[in-house]
Amino acid sequence: MTRLGSGLLAGLKVTWRNLVRRSVTQHYPDVKPELPPRSRGVIALQEENCTVCMLCARECPAWCIHIDSHKEVTPAEVEGGRDRSHNMLDRFAIDFSLCMYCSICIEVCPFDALHWSPEFEYAEHDITDLVHEKDRLREWMWTVPPPPALDPAGEEPKEIKAAEIAAAKRAAPPPPVDPAGPQ
Amino acid sequence: MSETPATERAADLRAVTVGIGDGAAGFGHERGGGVDLATQDMVLNIGPQHPATHGVLRLRLTLDGERIVTCEPIVGYMHRGVEKLFEVRDYRQIIVLANRHDWLSAFGNELGVVMAVERMLGMEVPVRAIWIRTLLAELNRVLNHLMFMGSYPIELGAITPIFYAFRERETIQQVMEEVSGGRMHYMFNRVGGLKEDLPAGWLGRTSAAVAAVRSRLPQIEDLVFGNEIFRARTVGVGVLSPELIHAYGVSGPIARASGVDLDLRRDDPYLAYQELLDDGVLRIVTRSAGDCFARFDVLLEQVKVSLDVADACLTRLHELPQGPVNVRLPKILKAPEGSTYAWTENPLGINGYYLVSRGEKTPWRLKLRTASFNNISVLPQLLEGRVVADMVAILGSMFFVVGDVDK
């Protein structure tokens, strides 16, 4: 070791250098953090998309999703038709005191009814208030950001491919009518 | 010295290491206060709730004055029974639990599970996924080490370094959050690859973050490493011999600080580490002193290496052709009957997953081998004959996470 105290001085130099610079601390309640769109803050429910398939409730590793539903029957529209039955959502609740924020429910939802929102300011004084019923979950939908664009080196999403094929089909002229067709 | 029985060795140790650190010079010690003074041993509980421990590790110390006669770590206050919980969860749900036992290296924990399942299935992971996994694992290592580089000086009474460490952590956490959505529990691995692709422009932002952390790392170095007080508290304190390391299965940076040169990234390469090793980017950091200072020094050096590795991964990701980051999985994923053992070099040491499957969608057994458990089991040997003040320095330098100990 060199001179005694030189190590302390080197440390003080770092302190001094940072003392005269702008601080990096954000004053949270006054300055809101900028969160990326993938941020897992709260789960929002697009109620209209939910078909009560129960996949989210079954796949949840913490079993924190509660779903109640009943069946409604629409009578047949035409004579001799069949009656159609639909699942009607009565209750959709997520208990955020149990939720582990793993995003499995969002991943398994086949109809994109569940989404992440980066909102995080929903702390409560009473733990039971952390159960968000479907009205509250629906309200979170307004805070869901659009997903970020993906890296150009990534694989093209299969939706684009499907849309392109559909567009090509629509744009292409209808197949020529066979001259020797039915007469 | 390792052949002598423990009691004899302890007596030896007391006789030899009377002066620990320069401050203890002339501090003679005789068991029980000598012939003139009859004293009694005192039992002191450090923890489970104590500011000098991390989390809920409890140490039951028997003290003779200031000196520790025996130390008994009592673990299990945070036992959550994850191994049993694994048995009733499918492989995607296991990742949720697995990334939580060591909350400072969530990405590394996820890796072990998915690698074990992929090996059982004989699944090929897309090349882009391999490089992104390597990149994120190394960033995770940086995050973990920065945490300990900040918290260890706090235990020794230096409050400032943690603010510097957390500024760097925040820089990297931002890019981790952007890609995975989580700041600690990333949940970004899936069997066969990753959850989703990178956001556009993320590679550039990560390069900037890595460069920023690298440029500011010397500040932490200047703040702590030359500091005379820090050196006096750590140099020559808590020397861990390679024999003890082999006897207790200590691994990771702690083992390498004592010259036990074992790093699975080199010795059993997984992900893209073989290529990084061939390119000379991945260097294995070792020290020979084996004291608290050497352990801390290894952390700093590993951060530097990990940042270099992250840069190499970023360069490679720019060059790689267009391709997927995951493979399509069946609706119900079942590992075939059999067993496998996957181990990874987690930031804190060797992390092993022994997976036994009977062809169900849940594992029949998933045994977890965590680094922290072995790393703290050596504590009784290390603390015997030391003074209480050194206990804090030694305990802090064993770099463990209580969740990783108790599982």
Side-chain angles (χ1 to χ4, degrees):
Chain A
M1 192 175 292
T2 50
R3 215 153 30 84
L4 189 72
S6 62
L8 282 170
L9 278 179
L12 282 174
K13 221 155 64 187
V14 175
T15 314
W16 175 250
R17 238 175 57 198
N18 283 279
L19 191 68
V20 292
R21 292 219 179 138
R22 183 180 276 278
S23 92
V24 293
T25 323
Q26 287 177 352
H27 295 268
Y28 158 61
D30 305 323
V31 184
K32 300 276 185 220
E34 265 181 54
L35 295 173
R38 281 184 187 175
S39 219
R40 300 201 293 263
V42 70
I43 298 168
L45 168 71
Q46 178 88 45
E47 200 189 315
E48 298 82 346
N49 284 359
C50 181
T51 61
V52 202
C53 67
M54 305 292 283
L55 270 179
C56 51
R58 266 193 312 193
E59 285 289 316
C60 176
W63 298 294
C64 71
I65 303 179
H66 307 280
I67 299 175
D68 284 339
S69 68
H70 68 272
K71 273 214 166 88
E72 246 171 41
V73 179
T74 323
E77 282 171 5
V78 288
E79 197 70 31
R82 257 193 318 143
D83 293 349
R84 306 259 168 202
S85 62
H86 311 270
N87 286 322
M88 300 302 284
L89 188 63
D90 295 330
R91 178 176 187 233
F92 193 106
I94 299 179
D95 188 347
F96 283 106
S97 62
L98 292 178
C99 177
M100 298 209 291
Y101 297 82
C102 66
S103 83
I104 285 179
C105 53
I106 288 151
E107 221 178 311
V108 296
C109 182
F111 300 103
D112 289 344
L114 293 169
H115 301 269
W116 276 119
S117 153
E119 290 295 313
F120 59 93
E121 293 167 312
Y122 53 94
E124 300 282 358
H125 288 289
D126 184 355
I127 198 168
T128 53
D129 292 339
L130 280 171
V131 181
H132 291 197
E133 297 291 337
K134 68 177 179 186
D135 303 336
R136 193 145 180 224
L137 293 173
R138 181 66 184 81
E139 280 306 303
W140 290 122
M141 249 342 266
W142 304 109
T143 63
V144 172
L150 293 183
D151 196 271
E155 200 184 26
E156 207 168 57
K158 59 180 189 300
E159 287 84 356
I160 291 183
K161 190 85 188 160
E164 267 170 5
I165 291 171
K169 232 180 226 167
R170 243 178 292 130
V177 185
D178 190 6
Q183 278 171 2
Chain B
M1 201 162 180
S2 57
E3 309 79 50
T4 50
T7 44
E8 220 176 286
R9 195 168 63 243
D12 254 353
L13 221 62
R14 270 198 294 279
V16 176
T17 55
V18 188
I20 296 150
D22 295 336
F27 181 68
H29 174 68
E30 200 174 340
R31 183 91 168 81
V35 275
D36 310 321
L37 191 65
T39 59
Q40 241 181 349
D41 286 349
M42 182 175 80
V43 174
L44 180 67
N45 278 301
I46 309 279
Q49 306 277 324
H50 193 277
T53 64
H54 319 243
V56 287
L57 176 73
R58 175 176 167 207
L59 296 179
R60 199 166 163 280
L61 304 178
T62 311
L63 297 181
D64 175 22
E66 273 287 297
R67 216 157 277 273
I68 297 167
V69 182
T70 55
C71 157
E72 186 193 352
I74 300 168
V75 300
Y77 287 93
M78 226 181 142
H79 182 61
R80 291 152 291 178
V82 276
E83 290 178 10
K84 205 70 196 163
L85 292 173
F86 287 159
E87 291 169 18
V88 288
R89 274 162 176 76
D90 69 29
Y91 292 107
R92 180 165 48 185
Q93 293 172 334
I94 283 173
I95 301 171
V96 184
L97 292 177
N99 71 20
R100 278 164 163 81
H101 63 82
D102 174 0
W103 47 78
L104 289 177
S105 27
F107 196 86
N109 303 339
E110 292 172 10
L111 267 182
V113 180
V114 293
M115 277 167 51
V117 182
E118 280 158 12
R119 196 176 299 164
M120 292 274 274
L121 288 162
M123 190 180 267
E124 284 271 336
V125 181
V127 76
R128 277 189 76 227
I130 290 177
W131 282 93
I132 296 171
R133 275 180 180 180
T134 317
L135 167 64
L136 294 176
E138 288 308 308
L139 289 180
N140 198 189
R141 192 181 308 275
V142 174
L143 281 176
N144 175 299
H145 287 358
L146 278 172
M147 179 75 213
F148 285 106
M149 284 170 66
S151 73
Y152 185 49
I154 279 201
E155 273 147 34
L156 300 179
I159 311 282
T160 322
I162 196 153
F163 298 114
Y164 291 81
F166 263 73
R167 179 180 64 187
E168 311 315 327
R169 268 175 65 87
E170 188 57 41
T171 314
I172 294 180
Q173 255 176 348
Q174 246 161 20
V175 292
M176 292 296 272
E177 187 180 12
E178 191 187 340
V179 72
S180 71
R183 292 167 61 84
M184 276 182 104
H185 303 301
Y186 307 111
M187 259 312 272
F188 200 53
N189 276 300
R190 289 294 180 278
V191 175
L194 298 161
K195 184 182 169 224
E196 50 196 339
D197 214 306
L198 308 171
W202 183 82
L203 290 178
R205 287 189 285 280
T206 309
S207 297
V210 168
V213 172
R214 186 184 287 122
S215 74
R216 291 186 303 224
L217 209 56
Q219 294 191 12
I220 300 181
E221 213 175 331
D222 287 346
L223 213 55
V224 181
F225 281 80
N227 190 303
E228 279 81 2
I229 304 168
F230 182 79
R231 294 186 81 99
R233 293 288 306 272
T234 55
V235 175
V237 173
V239 179
L240 189 56
S241 65
E243 290 79 36
L244 275 180
I245 284 174
H246 289 307
Y248 281 84
V250 176
S251 56
I254 303 170
R256 288 195 286 278
S258 299
V260 177
D261 193 5
L262 173 73
D263 191 319
L264 293 180
R265 291 179 291 172
R266 178 199 57 204
D267 299 324
D268 187 9
Y270 55 102
L271 295 182
Y273 286 122
Q274 185 61 55
E275 226 168 298
L276 290 161
L277 204 64
D278 296 341
D279 294 346
V281 188
L282 178 65
R283 292 174 291 116
I284 308 303
V285 184
T286 52
R287 295 284 181 273
S288 52
D291 57 0
C292 295
F293 188 79
R295 290 195 274 274
F296 195 68
D297 199 20
V298 167
L299 283 198
L300 175 79
E301 207 53 40
Q302 285 204 31
V303 169
K304 291 179 183 168
V305 172
S306 287
L307 289 174
D308 290 345
V309 171
D311 261 345
C313 292
L314 284 164
T315 327
R316 178 56 78 93
L317 279 167
H318 276 297
E319 294 162 358
L320 281 178
Q322 200 173 21
V325 290
N326 45 28
V327 294
R328 269 187 77 82
L329 293 176
K331 271 234 166 63
I332 295 169
L333 184 71
K334 288 179 177 172
E337 208 171 315
S339 65
T340 188
Y341 184 71
W343 56 351
T344 55
E345 184 70 29
N346 236 30
L348 295 179
I350 293 172
N351 199 11
Y353 290 92
Y354 182 54
L355 169 65
V356 184
S357 172
R358 297 212 168 155
E360 303 285 319
K361 66 175 189 173
T362 60
W364 186 74
R365 177 91 165 91
L366 184 53
K367 166 78 178 77
L368 200 52
R369 186 261 190 231
T370 53
S372 302
F373 182 80
N374 291 61
N375 291 359
I376 68 144
S377 358
V378 77
L379 271 176
Q381 299 282 334
L382 208 52
L383 288 177
E384 235 173 48
R386 311 282 145 163
V387 289
V388 176
D390 278 345
M391 185 237 27
V392 179
I394 295 169
L395 184 65
S397 75
M398 295 310 286
F399 312 129
F400 60 90
V401 167
V402 179
D404 205 27
V405 177
D406 291 348
K407 294 177 268 198

